[in-house]
Amino acid sequence: MKTIYFDNNATTKVAEEVLDEMKPLFCDLYGNPSSMHTFGGQISHRMRKAREQVAALLGCEPSEIIFTSCGTESDNTAIKGALAAYPDKRKVITTRVEHPAVLSVCRDLENLGYNVVELAVDKLGRLDLAELEDNLDDDTAIVSIMYANNETGVIFPIAQIAELVTDKGIVFHTDAVQAVGKITLNLSKSNIDLLSLSGHKLHGPKGVGVLYVKKGTRMSPFMIGGHQEAGRRAGTENVPGIVGLGKACELAAENLEEENSKVKYLRDKLENAILKSCPDSRLNGDKDHRLPNTTNISFEFIEGEAILLMLDRIGICASSGSACTSGSLEPSHVLRAMGVPFTAAHGSIRFSLSRYNTEQEVDFTVEKTPGIINHLRELSPFVAK
Ligand code: PLP
C-alpha cells in the first residue's frame, strides 16, 4: 500500500538535494568548526554558506541568524532571552492559539509571577488588534504572536502587529515555524525583532532551527557555555543539520511561488470536494488568510481519531490536531479558542500538503473520505437513526 502523506505541518520529507548536501558531513567532513586545524576549519565556510542561504530566504543579514536545535528552542530563547534583557518588566502578551512551544512557556512564566495576557481570537481564528493595543504598556517586555497557525493555517497580520508593538518600544517575537517556506517574508522591511523557524517543517532535517534576531535587539542568551554563534547560543553546532537547513531554505526560495500555487490548487480541490460530498462538515479558520497547504475540516457527531484510523488503514496520513496534542482526548485548544462547538471540535481533521503531493493522491482521498464519514456516522450514538 502506498503512503499518502498529508501531515506536512507535523513534519516533512527531507528533500533529496538536502540529504546530498548533508551526507559528507557525517563520516568525511566531521570536524568541529571551532577547531584551529584545517580539517575542522574547512567546515566553517559551509556553515557560513548555510547562514547566507537562510538569510536570503528571510530577507535579512546572515549575522542576524542564530542556529538552534529546533523551533521549540528558538521560541523559548526568544521569550526568556527578552525577559532576561528587560528584568524590570513583568508582562508578556501572547495569544490563546499559540503552539505549546510558546503557550507552555508563557503559562510557566505566569506560575513564576509574570503577568501573562493571552489574546482571544474570533470564530474564524482572527485576532482583535484593538485588544492587543489596549494591553501594550510600559511593563510589557515582549509580545509573542505566531505568524501562521499550525492547526488551521490561519495567518495573522504580522507586519501590522509588529509595527504596533515596536512603535511602543516593546520587543516583538513571531513563531514563524509554519510560515517559513510557505509564504514570502522580507525581514529587512519588517519590524519583527525575533522570529523562530524549524528545519523539519520545510523539507530540511529534524533537530535544527533558527532564531532570527534583528540587529540591535536586546537579548540574553538562553544556552550558556562555549562561544559558538558569536556567544549567542552555546553548544557544538549540528553541522549536518545546519547545512541541510541552508539547502532547504535555498530550495524553498527558488520555488516558493510556483510550488505554493500548485499546493494551493491541490489543497483547494481536496477541501472543496470533501465539504461538498460530506454532509455536516465545516471548514475551521479564516478561508481567505491561510497558508496555501493547510485545511482543517470538522465532521459533526464523529471522533477525529476514528476518522484518522480509517484513513490510516488505506494509507492516508492526516492529523486530528497539532502533532503535539494528538494522543490526548481533549479537543484542540485552538478550535476551543475559536468557539468551535464541542461536537465539531472533536471530529476535526487537518490535512497539510507539500510540494511532493500529487493530484492522484488528492483524487483518491476525495473518493474514499465520504464512505468513511458515512460509515462512522452509522455507528455514532450522536446521530439520530
Ligand atoms: N511552533 C509551531 C507553530 C509548530 O507547528 C511547531 C511544531 O509543530 C513548533 C513551534 C515546534 O517546532 P520543533 O518541532 O522544531 O520544536
Side-chain angles (χ1 to χ4, degrees), residues 9-11 69-75 97-102 146-151 175-179 196-201 206-209 322-324 350:
N9 286 9
T11 197
S69 68
C70 58
T72 302
E73 185 193 321
S74 302
D75 287 343
V97 296
E98 298 298 311
H99 187 274
V102 167
M146 70 199 321
Y147 214 112
N149 190 275
N150 43 304
E151 294 190 31
D175 174 343
V177 164
Q178 293 294 344
S196 307
L197 70 90
S198 173
H200 72 106
K201 307 288 184 180
K206 295 172 182 58
V208 63
S322 75
C324 312
R350 177 188 71 186

Side-chain angles (χ1 to χ4, degrees), residues 97-355:
V97 296
E98 298 298 311
H99 187 274
V102 167
L103 211 46
S104 303
V105 174
C106 291
R107 289 182 182 167
D108 209 35
L109 289 168
E110 200 162 26
N111 292 334
L112 294 174
Y114 284 90
N115 173 12
V116 175
V117 175
E118 292 180 15
L119 302 173
V121 293
D122 69 9
K123 63 182 195 312
L124 294 182
R126 296 173 305 192
L127 281 174
D128 175 2
L129 296 197
E131 192 195 356
L132 168 65
E133 262 192 291
D134 288 348
N135 273 291
L136 299 173
D137 60 19
D138 291 344
D139 198 35
T140 311
I142 181 166
V143 175
S144 178
I145 296 183
M146 70 199 321
Y147 214 112
N149 190 275
N150 43 304
E151 294 190 31
T152 59
V154 170
I155 298 173
F156 286 143
I158 289 300
Q160 207 184 335
I161 293 173
E163 207 174 314
L164 281 177
V165 173
T166 54
D167 271 0
K168 297 255 179 353
I170 299 166
V171 175
F172 180 68
H173 166 248
T174 185
D175 174 343
V177 164
Q178 293 294 344
V180 173
K182 295 175 189 150
I183 53 178
T184 305
L185 303 179
N186 187 349
L187 295 179
S188 71
K189 294 210 171 81
S190 93
N191 290 17
I192 297 168
D193 296 310
L194 303 165
L195 174 143
S196 307
L197 70 90
S198 173
H200 72 106
K201 307 288 184 180
L202 68 151
H203 304 292
K206 295 172 182 58
V208 63
V210 160
L211 180 64
Y212 155 83
V213 182
K214 194 187 223 20
K215 196 167 169 216
T217 306
R218 268 169 63 188
M219 260 279 306
S220 297
F222 178 51
M223 299 277 275
I224 299 169
H227 58 269
Q228 293 90 352
E229 297 297 289
R232 297 174 299 177
R233 195 275 185 186
T236 301
E237 301 88 341
N238 169 7
V239 179
I242 289 170
V243 167
L245 173 56
K247 185 67 186 176
C249 288
E250 183 187 289
L251 294 174
E254 269 168 23
N255 306 312
L256 199 91
E257 284 187 11
E258 195 191 319
E259 271 173 358
N260 283 328
S261 61
K262 180 199 128 183
V263 170
K264 182 177 182 305
Y265 163 77
L266 293 179
R267 188 275 312 266
D268 288 346
K269 185 173 183 188
L270 179 72
E271 175 177 292
N272 292 333
I274 289 180
L275 289 173
K276 203 165 154 211
S277 60
C278 300
D280 293 319
S281 59
R282 52 183 270 177
L283 180 70
N284 294 314
D286 183 356
K287 194 173 185 343
D288 300 324
H289 298 100
R290 260 188 313 162
L291 294 173
N293 78 319
T294 309
T295 181
N296 188 311
I297 299 175
S298 277
F299 301 91
E300 287 267 8
F301 315 123
I302 46 179
E303 289 285 336
E305 281 69 24
I307 307 171
L308 279 190
L309 285 176
M310 294 202 66
L311 289 171
D312 189 46
R313 275 197 211 155
I314 51 171
I316 300 170
C317 309
S319 156
S320 63
S322 75
C324 312
T325 55
S326 58
S328 129
L329 287 177
E330 278 292 297
S332 123
H333 71 286
V334 175
L335 299 186
R336 271 182 298 153
M338 289 161 59
V340 174
F342 199 70
T343 49
H346 260 298
S348 80
I349 296 289
R350 177 188 71 186
F351 296 95
S352 48
L353 284 66
S354 82
R355 61 176 183 257

